[in-house]
Amino acid sequence: MKSQTYITIPMYNDEKMILNVIKDLNKAGYHNIVVVDDGSKDNGYEVVKKNTDAIITRHIINRGQGAALQTGMEVAIDRGAKYIVHFDSDGQHDVKDLDHMLETLIKGKYDIVLGSRFIQENKIPLKKRIILRLGIIFTFLLSQIWLTDVHNGLRVMTAQTAKKLDLQHDRMEHASEILDKVKSLNLKYKEVPVTIHYTDYSQAKGQKISNSINIAIKLISSKLKN
Amino acid sequence: MTIQYIASGIIAIILIQLIIRVIKDRTQFFKLLFWGIFWGIALVFIWLPTNTIDKVGKLFGVGRGIDVLVYLSIIFLFYYIFRQSEKINKLEKQITKLVREIAKENAKK
């Protein structure tokens, strides 16, 4: 199972955390790791290349997390991946959740398994909690899919699902795009509880409220066009 | 009347700048022709007697002729912005595709 699983990690200025993330994944038995450096300004690319056996590639200019994920998925599919995982490079995801998510995907014959930080108790900062709740309502209005967590970056899916997703939104809107496609493509999905580690580091890198508004505007305009 | 002189002055400055640019780079002649006609028409409208423009206004069911011009300009500008944003989106997608292809090639090494 693990040998057919490819972990896709979009990386942007995460030089300090990325080695720990890859080390933890390796320890847990995941060795097919695709890191896409999304035009970082730090030395993350060199750090990964020198110190790990992960597949590393680079966007020569920054194109956004959605674009980096799509690149990572295409590389993984080219290499014969059967299962694909979306994993963050800033250390907020917990490797321990992966086994359970993969098992759920395979045993339940799901197309995609989505992580949720609201099913179990997680210490989520209030501001973040409010934005995420609004996101749930917004996603329901836009895509008619009701989930407990709509912007969780931890996802496990089959390679066929990854092919179908074909992300068109380069930036943060990709998270909503995925859910929209889960609904419109009638994919079999399940949410499972995951642990998110909120550190000062991940908080400083996280989404801002102004960015949420920006995401909403872009999603509405793309919906109107379709 | 003052506004007509100010507007004409601005148009004159724009046209002079255009002419200077074309003298420096003759390949931009078509640009001069296009904008020359555009601003020329604008000048004619500015100096047309008020009642003549107002006749046009009545034709459109709007009281004053100048209002017709303002409405048309807004419609044109909205359309122009829409077209530009479409173009930018398309360009962004093409850039991503290009960057991705390079990254995928890079991953094979």
Side-chain angles (χ1 to χ4, degrees):
Chain A
M1 176 181 84
K2 286 183 184 177
S3 62
Q4 293 168 309
T5 304
Y6 278 69
I7 317 279
T8 305
I9 308 178
M11 174 177 75
Y12 183 65
N13 295 342
D14 274 326
E15 179 188 7
K16 287 176 193 156
M17 295 302 291
I18 191 70
L19 283 184
N20 284 338
V21 172
I22 295 174
K23 217 192 293 171
D24 286 348
L25 284 162
N26 285 160
K27 258 190 223 164
Y30 295 96
H31 293 281
N32 299 320
I33 299 168
V34 181
V35 180
V36 181
D37 174 28
D38 192 24
S40 296
K41 293 184 183 85
D42 62 10
N43 290 319
Y45 178 82
E46 281 79 16
V47 166
V48 174
K49 200 164 191 175
K50 271 184 198 155
N51 301 296
T52 73
D53 57 0
I55 302 157
I56 171 92
T57 188
R58 170 194 259 165
H59 279 176
I60 49 173
I61 48 170
N62 178 259
R63 297 310 301 151
Q65 198 184 51
L69 274 173
Q70 181 61 28
T71 303
M73 289 195 287
E74 288 184 21
V75 170
I77 290 166
D78 284 350
R79 301 229 172 190
K82 199 169 177 194
Y83 308 108
I84 290 175
V85 176
H86 290 176
F87 207 83
D88 279 2
S89 60
D90 59 4
Q92 58 169 318
H93 291 157
D94 199 319
V95 181
K96 287 182 198 119
D97 291 320
L98 277 186
D99 288 356
H100 172 59
M101 288 179 87
L102 267 166
E103 264 172 41
T104 308
L105 180 89
I106 296 165
K107 284 186 183 155
K109 291 196 172 110
Y110 289 103
D111 294 312
I112 187 166
V113 171
L114 307 157
S116 169
R117 58 207 122 165
F118 290 111
I119 299 177
Q120 73 185 24
E121 212 34 58
N122 264 306
K123 279 181 194 155
I124 303 166
L126 181 69
K127 202 172 83 181
K128 190 102 190 170
R129 197 177 277 268
I130 294 169
I131 298 174
L132 289 168
R133 295 280 185 205
L134 286 173
I136 293 169
I137 298 168
F138 181 76
T139 304
F140 179 72
L141 292 174
L142 212 63
S143 313
Q144 296 80 51
I145 181 167
W146 186 267
L147 295 167
T148 59
D149 191 356
V150 290
H151 266 248
N152 194 309
L154 186 54
R155 310 175 188 92
V156 177
M157 67 196 80
T158 61
Q160 285 95 324
T161 303
K163 276 182 206 163
K164 283 181 198 162
L165 284 181
D166 187 27
L167 299 178
Q168 296 298 313
H169 283 280
D170 289 345
R171 312 239 165 235
M172 293 314 289
E173 310 86 75
H174 74 272
S176 301
E177 183 191 356
I178 291 173
L179 302 179
D180 195 44
K181 286 185 174 164
V182 165
K183 178 75 182 176
S184 62
L185 296 168
N186 217 358
L187 299 177
K188 195 179 171 199
Y189 70 94
K190 187 173 174 70
E191 272 192 306
V192 296
V194 295
T195 310
I196 299 287
H197 299 290
Y198 283 106
T199 57
D200 290 343
Y201 179 81
S202 71
Q203 278 297 291
K205 283 204 74 180
Q207 291 286 313
K208 293 185 181 73
I209 297 180
S210 56
N211 205 14
S212 312
I213 296 165
N214 209 358
I215 291 172
I217 292 170
K218 280 188 182 168
L219 285 167
I220 292 171
S221 66
S222 82
K223 266 274 170 184
L224 289 175
K225 269 184 221 161
N226 292 335
Chain B
M1 286 310 259
T2 324
I3 187 75
Q4 285 165 314
Y5 285 111
I6 294 171
S8 305
I10 293 170
I11 291 173
I13 292 167
I14 293 170
L15 284 174
I16 290 166
Q17 275 184 332
L18 262 175
I19 292 165
I20 292 170
R21 212 185 295 167
V22 173
I23 291 170
K24 281 182 187 163
D25 177 8
R26 294 200 179 252
T27 56
Q28 297 207 341
F29 179 73
F30 181 75
K31 210 174 188 180
L32 173 73
L33 198 72
F34 176 79
W35 288 111
I37 292 169
F38 178 84
W39 290 115
I41 293 170
L43 266 181
V44 172
F45 268 102
I46 289 167
W47 288 101
L48 267 183
T50 326
N51 55 356
T52 317
I53 311 174
D54 284 351
K55 273 179 198 161
V56 179
K58 285 202 181 85
L59 208 70
F60 281 92
V62 183
R64 294 187 315 161
I66 194 72
D67 289 345
V68 176
L69 279 183
V70 173
Y71 295 152
L72 287 177
S73 307
I74 292 172
I75 292 168
F76 172 76
L77 283 174
F78 266 113
Y79 177 71
Y80 185 71
I81 291 170
F82 172 73
R83 287 299 299 269
Q84 288 299 314
S85 72
E86 289 279 291
K87 214 184 243 178
I88 291 169
N89 278 341
K90 203 175 152 196
L91 272 173
E92 290 253 5
K93 281 208 164 82
Q94 286 172 335
I95 292 170
T96 300
K97 203 174 164 191
L98 192 67
V99 169
R100 179 168 297 136
E101 284 309 312
I102 297 169
K104 281 169 74 178
E105 275 302 310
N106 194 9
K108 282 178 190 164
K109 287 170 191 163

